[in-house]
Amino acid sequence: MKKILHILSAIIIVSVAVSCATGSRNSMGGEVTGVGGTSWAEPTPYGMVLVDRGSVKMGPAKDDSLWNLKADSRGVSVDAFWMDETEITNAKYKQFVFWVRDSIIRERLADPTYGGNEEYKIEEDREGNPVTPHLNWAKAIPWRNANEDEQRAIESLYRINPITGVKELDPEQLNYRYEIYNHTEAAKRKNRLNPERREYNTDKPTPTTLPLISKDTAYVNDDGQIIRETVTRALTGPYDFVNTYIVNVYPDTTAWINDFDNAYNEPYVRMYFSHGGYSDYPVVGVSWEQANAFANWRTDFLRRSLGREGIYIEPYRLPTEAEWEYAARAGKSDNMYPWDGDLPLTEEQGCFYANFKPQEGNFVQDGQLITSRVGTYAPNDFGLYDMAGNVSEWTSTAFTESVGKLTSDLNPEYRYDAAQEDPYKMKRKIVRGGSWKDVAHNVRSDLRMWEYQNEQRSYIGFRCVRSQIGFAKGTKSKK
C-alpha cells in the first residue's frame, strides 16, 4: 500500500513539475497572470477634442458686490472625455432633421396604405430568418421618379403654405422616438431584483416589498396624438428602467420673435435655420429635450455605420455642469473666463475674445450682431471654441438652488427626470457660457444659469461629449 502511495506521490510531483515548466505557455502554472481582453486605441471622434481628466475649483472664487455675487467655489474632479470643439451647427442639426424626415418617408413607403413596397423595410436576413424589422437605408427614396403611391407617401410629409402657396416640410410630423436605459437607477442597491441584495445589514430583515420605480413612456394613441406620461409602479424587471421618448425635432424658428418684444427679427425666422448662409452658425431654438434626442440619434448613427449588431460604443450625451466648467476654464481655477484675465478683450488692441453684448444697445462692437459663425474667435487652451458667448449651452444637470451641496466632488452630477405632472420649477436645467445677447459678466465660465427643459430660445444651443474609454498611457492632465 505504501508503495502505491509513493508511486502516486511521484506522479503528482512530476505533474506539478510539468505544469510549472509549461506555465509560461498555458498560464496553468499556479500563478495568477490575469485574463486578457480585446482592446483598441479609440479614434478621435469627428470634430471633437480630448479633455484630459483633472480637477478645478468650480464656481466663483471671489465676491462681486456689483453683481451681489458671493464666493462659492469647491474642488471637483472629472474623468477624461471627448467634447465637440464647436457648438452644434445648423448644418449638423439639419442632418438629424433630414434623417428623421427620410426615416418617416421610408416607413410610409413600406406601409400598405402607400403601396407597401417591402424593399424599404427589412424583416428577414439573407438566409430567410426573421429579424427585428428595420428600415432599409440602402434603398433610395424615389424623389424624382416616384410612382403615384410613392409620390403620395413622400408628399404626405409636406404641406402647402396657406399664404405663399409654396410646398414646405411639415415640422409637426418630424417626431423622433427613442429609448434610453437608465443605468444609474438600475444599479442602485434599493432597486435590485434580488431582495437579499438590497439590504446588507444582517441585523435587519430581508425586504419583502417591491421597490417603486418611475419610468417615462411615450406612445401614439388611436387618434394620432403623442401621449407622454410617467408611470410609477412596483419593480417587475429590467425593462422598468427603459424610458421611451417621442420628441419633435424641428427647432422653434419663431424664438427670434418671441424672445424679443417689438423687434424686426422676421428674417431670422425665415432664414436662420433653413438658409445655407447660416450653415456654420450654432443651431438655436432647440430645447434640452431636443438636444438629448440629437445625442441619442448621433450615437445610433455611429453604431449603425459600424455594421455589427450588439456592438457597444460610449454614447454621445450632453456634458454635466462640472465637465462643462472644467472644459471651459481649461482646467484652471484662477480664471473667470476661458482665457486669462478678467476682461473679454485685450486692453492694448481692443480685440474681442468672444461674441457678446459689449455695451447697452451696442451688439456690433465685437464685430457681430447676433450669433457668429462657430470658431470665429480663438479657442481656449483645450482647443475648444466659443465656450463663452455666441450661444448659451445646455448641460445634462438639473437645477435646484442647492445643487452645489447635493453633488459629489467626484464626477459631480445632479440628475432629475421631471415627470409630466411635476411642478414647472422642477423642470429647470443648467445652461452655461452666456450668449451673444449677454453682457460680459454673464459669459463668465464660473457662473450658473438655468432654463426650463422644454423652452426653445434664440440664444441657447448645445454641444455633445463622450466619455473616453480607458486612459492613454503617459497622458498627463493639463494644469
Side-chain angles (χ1 to χ4, degrees):
M1 184 66 179
K2 287 183 178 181
K3 185 176 181 180
I4 294 174
L5 290 176
H6 284 309
I7 293 173
L8 290 174
S9 299
I11 293 173
I12 293 172
I13 291 171
V14 171
S15 298
V16 171
V18 171
S19 295
C20 290
T22 61
S24 60
R25 296 194 301 271
N26 59 22
S27 299
M28 295 297 289
E31 298 293 342
V32 177
T33 60
V35 176
T38 58
S39 64
W40 65 95
E42 184 180 19
T44 300
Y46 178 78
M48 287 186 150
V49 297
L50 178 63
V51 177
D52 292 343
R53 62 177 61 154
S55 63
V56 70
K57 290 287 186 180
M58 186 176 172
K62 297 183 294 184
D63 290 344
D64 189 337
S65 57
L66 179 63
W67 293 90
N68 193 28
L69 189 66
K70 296 294 183 182
D72 187 28
S73 63
R74 60 188 287 254
V76 301
S77 296
V78 295
D79 210 342
F81 57 94
W82 301 96
M83 189 176 215
D84 283 320
E85 62 180 354
T86 70
E87 293 143 342
I88 296 298
T89 62
N90 283 320
K92 289 183 177 180
Y93 194 84
K94 201 176 293 183
Q95 185 178 356
F96 174 39
V97 171
F98 286 172
W99 185 94
V100 173
R101 176 201 66 184
D102 293 353
S103 67
I104 295 173
I105 289 176
R106 281 184 167 84
E107 285 282 1
R108 293 181 182 177
L109 288 169
D111 190 333
T113 306
Y114 298 99
N117 189 337
E118 297 178 354
E119 293 184 29
Y120 286 98
K121 181 167 283 190
I122 298 173
E123 298 184 353
E124 296 179 346
D125 61 19
R126 294 179 179 179
E127 286 73 36
N129 301 312
V131 296
T132 302
H134 58 279
L135 296 177
N136 180 9
W137 286 89
K139 176 68 174 174
I141 295 174
W143 296 105
R144 297 183 181 276
N145 56 349
N147 60 37
E148 184 176 344
D149 287 332
E150 292 170 338
Q151 192 67 34
R152 284 193 306 111
I154 295 171
E155 292 187 351
S156 67
L157 206 58
Y158 290 77
R159 66 184 184 186
I160 302 299
N161 187 300
I163 305 301
T164 64
V166 175
K167 185 174 73 171
E168 59 188 17
L169 193 62
D170 183 5
E172 297 297 323
Q173 297 189 58
L174 298 177
N175 298 311
Y176 174 67
R177 181 186 183 278
Y178 70 101
E179 294 181 338
I180 289 288
Y181 185 79
N182 192 333
H183 290 274
T184 299
E185 287 300 311
K188 288 182 178 178
R189 184 178 296 177
K190 67 176 184 178
N191 291 330
R192 288 175 176 169
L193 294 173
N194 183 352
E196 294 181 354
R197 299 195 66 221
R198 290 188 215 133
E199 179 58 67
Y200 284 3
N201 188 339
T202 56
D203 292 337
K204 296 181 178 181
T206 300
T208 56
T209 58
L210 293 171
L212 292 178
I213 58 93
S214 293
K215 63 174 292 183
D216 296 328
T217 186
Y219 59 93
V220 179
N221 67 13
D222 294 337
D223 296 327
Q225 296 176 312
I226 297 175
I227 306 299
R228 298 174 59 185
E229 58 187 17
T230 300
V231 179
T232 300
R233 67 186 186 202
L235 177 65
T236 59
Y239 192 78
D240 287 328
F241 301 108
V242 176
N243 295 274
T244 305
Y245 300 96
I246 299 177
V247 178
N248 184 273
V249 303
Y250 205 84
D252 182 8
T253 58
T254 67
W256 291 101
I257 288 179
N258 290 307
D259 286 342
F260 302 94
D261 293 332
N262 302 317
Y264 182 66
N265 288 338
E266 289 182 19
Y268 307 137
V269 174
R270 294 191 295 267
M271 308 292 282
Y272 185 81
F273 183 65
S274 60
H275 195 281
Y278 289 104
S279 290
D280 295 328
Y281 286 64
V283 66
V284 296
V286 173
S287 69
W288 180 86
E289 296 165 346
Q290 290 173 314
N292 276 291
F294 174 91
N296 179 269
W297 165 80
R298 188 176 178 181
T299 304
D300 282 346
F301 192 67
L302 175 61
R303 184 182 293 112
R304 290 190 187 97
S305 73
L306 300 176
R308 287 185 288 172
E309 290 292 330
I311 189 171
Y312 176 81
I313 62 170
E314 194 64 25
Y316 292 96
R317 55 182 174 81
L318 293 180
T320 67
E321 181 193 22
E323 288 174 331
W324 193 97
E325 182 170 333
Y326 173 73
R329 299 171 71 179
K332 301 173 184 176
S333 298
D334 55 357
N335 59 338
M336 298 186 297
Y337 294 98
W339 51 83
D340 295 331
D342 296 342
L343 293 174
L345 71 163
T346 58
E347 294 186 70
E348 300 82 11
Q349 301 173 328
C351 295
F352 288 88
Y353 294 143
N355 176 16
F356 66 107
K357 183 181 178 181
Q359 295 180 2
E360 183 179 357
N362 188 345
F363 291 86
V364 299
Q365 188 177 353
D366 61 358
Q368 315 297 329
L369 178 63
I370 55 169
T371 57
S372 58
R373 183 178 282 105
V374 297
T376 296
Y377 300 87
N380 70 0
D381 288 347
F382 279 179
L384 299 166
Y385 295 87
D386 300 317
M387 294 300 285
N390 211 14
V391 293
S392 297
E393 299 178 15
W394 290 112
T395 73
S396 61
T397 307
F399 175 81
T400 178
E401 284 74 7
S402 57
V403 62
K405 297 179 176 61
L406 295 174
T407 54
S408 170
D409 56 3
L410 171 65
N411 293 320
E413 170 70 326
Y414 176 66
R415 176 174 171 174
Y416 182 76
D417 296 326
Q420 284 289 101
E421 61 272 15
D422 277 341
Y424 199 38
K425 67 179 294 186
M426 298 178 72
K427 300 175 182 178
R428 295 175 293 179
K429 307 300 181 187
I430 292 173
V431 294
R432 285 302 205 111
S435 74
W436 58 270
K437 73 166 188 62
D438 290 309
V439 297
H441 173 269
N442 291 342
V443 301
R444 285 172 51 170
S445 304
D446 59 349
L447 292 185
R448 172 184 295 134
M449 299 180 184
W450 58 266
E451 184 55 89
Y452 295 104
Q453 66 185 46
N454 62 341
E455 277 287 0
Q456 299 158 293
R457 299 294 192 184
S458 60
Y459 47 84
I460 298 180
F462 70 101
R463 71 181 79 205
C464 296
V465 299
R466 274 179 68 191
S467 296
Q468 187 195 28
I469 300 175
F471 198 63
K473 293 182 179 179
T475 304
K476 294 183 179 179
S477 299
K478 295 180 177 68
K479 299 296 184 184

